[in-house]
Amino acid sequence: MSRYALQGALSRDLLTWNGKVLVHDNAAEMEFLFTGDVRVIPCPSDIPPEQTIDIRYHPQLASVTWPLTKEQFR
């Protein structure tokens, strides 16, 4: 399964929450949800799954139903 991560546009650091890299399996959904000074990149393969957290489990995205549908964002 492919994983995608968020990278700071200027710092090039991967964005984290509680010390875990934010990832998701759908790059298009990440690009839709996160705008601004971040880029969606393939998650480096040297980062083990236990050091990541899927964005769907981030508390600020708790109200989002997955997979995303256009109707949710009108």
Side-chain angles (χ1 to χ4, degrees):
M1 170 169 77
S2 296
R3 295 181 304 166
Y4 299 92
L6 296 168
Q7 181 185 56
L10 298 176
S11 69
R12 303 279 191 230
D13 292 335
L14 296 178
L15 290 138
T16 62
W17 182 73
N18 280 347
K20 294 189 175 192
V21 176
L22 292 166
V23 297
H24 192 50
D25 62 355
N26 187 311
E29 287 183 348
M30 283 185 99
E31 289 169 350
F32 178 79
L33 289 171
F34 298 94
T35 61
D37 291 336
V38 296
R39 296 177 3 173
V40 175
I41 63 165
C43 186
S45 59
D46 62 340
I47 298 177
E50 59 270 8
Q51 291 180 8
T52 66
I53 183 168
D54 195 295
I55 61 170
R56 72 183 73 219
Y57 301 119
H58 191 286
Q60 291 182 342
L61 296 172
S63 63
V64 177
T65 304
W66 305 91
L68 296 180
T69 61
K70 291 178 185 178
E71 292 78 25
Q72 291 175 282
F73 298 94
R74 288 185 183 228

